Amino acid sequence: MTIDPVAKLRHLLQVLAFCLAIATIQYAFLPERGYGVQLAYSLCIGIITWACIDFPRHLLPSAAETGWPQGLAGVALVAAAIAIGYFVGTALGDVLCRALGLYVGPRPDPVVQARQSVLITALAGIAGSYYFFSAARRGHLERQMSETRRHANEARLKLLETQLEPHMLFNTLANLRALIALDPPRAQQMLDHMIAYLRATLDASRATTHPLQVEFDRLRDYLALMAIRMGLRLAYELVLPPELATQAVPPLLLQPIVENSIRHGLEPQLQGGRIEVRASREGARLVLEISDSGVGQSEMVGGSGGGGFGLVQVRQRLETLYGEAAGYDFESAPGKGARTRITLPLSLGA
């Protein structure tokens, strides 16, 4: 049996509010008894009834969805708790009213008073029990929906990633094919790097996220591959502050953006260019920036700056994993290179 003290305290506060409401309603119809008397009886009966239901139900076989006993056991528990709450609560309320001198005016007819009290206790006990039962069932359904959404998002992310990995592989193989005809020794060196890169990628690709340090390591391997083909025409710099190394990011988040910068920004230039990847922190957000000194491109004229397959995948994965909490901005102009900025919420403890 596991009892959540925070949940019990929340239930108690709700019961106190319920008792306060009942006492107020009773006082509105029977003001001659005094509000203090109504409140004392309501609190005593209500708290005892709640305690006799909400704690013993953990001792009985209960439904996993609600935590409440099913069938006749549940009905018997509520009925017994209401009876105990009425008799014990009434006696305790009477003692409390006498001790505090709350009785004012002539005493009401005991038969009429008992009839009203039994009716109110039964209705309030049933209503309160149904409220807590419904709240438990609603909480279970909400948890199920949240879990279903999480599984659906994970499946979508894996689908996007399985589409992205072959995309990167085919592009790299196309580069390798071109290099084989021009420079076989460098092509062999590039192939060795690609094998090492794919081997490192295989272990990490089974997770939805991985540390930013791993993403930068894989990015460094990829840039080393591209440097073999482009030689001195490609310069690059990766900047990752140590305090951000453990931040979780989707695998292959940055590689499509870097690949896009090389393919459409640096390769068209005879002299090549430079690409920089930086991670930084702005308040509670992780900022990832990829900038290049390439020819620049225009998203508006149909270039691949924002609409290429890899970049569409990046945007979809960010939307699936972070929703509106993630930001993606792309800036470029002819002759001025390109700059992509991604912002993500920082993990706790960073």
Side-chain angles (χ1 to χ4, degrees), residues 265-287:
L266 303 185
E267 283 189 331
Q269 290 189 140
L270 182 62
Q271 74 277 18
R274 180 181 180 82
I275 184 168
E276 295 181 359
V277 182
R278 294 179 179 275
S280 60
R281 175 175 183 168
E282 289 185 0
R285 302 184 68 78
L286 171 66
V287 180

Side-chain angles (χ1 to χ4, degrees), residues 211-226:
L212 187 57
Q213 180 66 63
V214 177
E215 181 71 8
F216 267 61
D217 291 342
R218 293 170 68 181
L219 201 56
R220 186 174 289 104
D221 292 337
Y222 175 76
L223 286 168
L225 271 173
M226 294 298 102

Side-chain angles (χ1 to χ4, degrees), residues 39-76:
L39 183 60
Y41 278 102
S42 181
L43 288 175
C44 292
I45 295 174
I47 292 174
I48 292 174
T49 302
W50 162 73
C52 290
I53 296 175
D54 212 21
F55 287 96
R57 70 182 173 88
H58 296 286
L59 301 175
L60 301 174
S62 302
E65 296 81 6
T66 60
W68 280 68
Q70 291 179 297
L72 187 60
V75 175

Side-chain angles (χ1 to χ4, degrees), residues 179 186 225-235 262-263 266-267 269 272-273:
L179 193 61
R186 289 172 63 195
L225 271 173
M226 294 298 102
I228 292 174
R229 183 166 59 86
M230 296 181 64
L232 297 178
R233 295 177 60 233
L234 175 62
I262 293 175
R263 185 176 180 183
L266 303 185
E267 283 189 331
Q269 290 189 140

Side-chain angles (χ1 to χ4, degrees), residues 300-316:
M300 300 302 294
V301 297
S304 58
F309 175 79
L311 303 187
V312 170
Q313 294 275 333
V314 169
R315 287 177 167 174
Q316 289 181 350

Side-chain angles (χ1 to χ4, degrees), residues 10-227:
R10 186 170 61 249
H11 291 173
L12 176 60
L13 293 176
Q14 291 172 327
V15 168
L16 294 178
F18 193 49
C19 294
L20 186 63
I22 291 176
T24 303
I25 294 172
Q26 284 185 291
Y27 178 69
F29 288 95
L30 298 170
E32 64 275 10
R33 295 188 62 188
Y35 185 73
V37 175
Q38 308 281 15
L39 183 60
Y41 278 102
S42 181
L43 288 175
C44 292
I45 295 174
I47 292 174
I48 292 174
T49 302
W50 162 73
C52 290
I53 296 175
D54 212 21
F55 287 96
R57 70 182 173 88
H58 296 286
L59 301 175
L60 301 174
S62 302
E65 296 81 6
T66 60
W68 280 68
Q70 291 179 297
L72 187 60
V75 175
L77 174 65
V78 173
I82 291 175
I84 295 173
Y86 170 74
F87 288 110
V88 177
T90 300
L92 185 61
D94 189 55
V95 172
L96 190 62
C97 289
R98 292 180 186 279
L100 298 178
L102 298 177
Y103 288 126
V104 293
R107 298 294 299 273
D109 186 330
V111 176
V112 175
Q113 182 181 0
R115 190 180 303 148
Q116 292 174 344
S117 298
V118 168
L119 180 62
I120 293 173
T121 301
L123 293 177
I126 294 172
S129 299
Y130 181 76
Y131 168 78
F132 285 118
F133 173 79
S134 299
R137 186 170 55 182
R138 183 173 62 252
H140 171 72
L141 293 176
E142 290 176 350
R143 288 191 296 273
Q144 275 193 323
M145 291 177 62
S146 176
E147 187 73 8
T148 301
R149 282 196 295 267
R150 186 178 67 81
H151 286 307
N153 284 341
E154 288 181 355
R156 184 164 183 257
L157 285 170
K158 295 311 297 180
L159 175 62
L160 292 171
E161 189 175 327
T162 54
Q163 293 171 341
L164 188 60
E165 287 173 347
H167 173 73
M168 184 276 297
L169 181 60
F170 291 146
N171 286 345
T172 307
L173 287 174
N175 292 329
L176 180 62
R177 182 179 182 278
L179 193 61
I180 288 174
L182 299 174
D183 192 340
R186 289 172 63 195
Q188 184 175 359
Q189 187 181 1
M190 186 176 183
L191 182 60
D192 292 339
H193 274 286
M194 190 173 73
I195 292 173
Y197 174 79
L198 293 176
R199 183 177 291 118
T201 301
L202 182 63
D203 293 336
S205 63
R206 305 282 77 84
T208 304
T209 61
H210 66 182
L212 187 57
Q213 180 66 63
V214 177
E215 181 71 8
F216 267 61
D217 291 342
R218 293 170 68 181
L219 201 56
R220 186 174 289 104
D221 292 337
Y222 175 76
L223 286 168
L225 271 173
M226 294 298 102

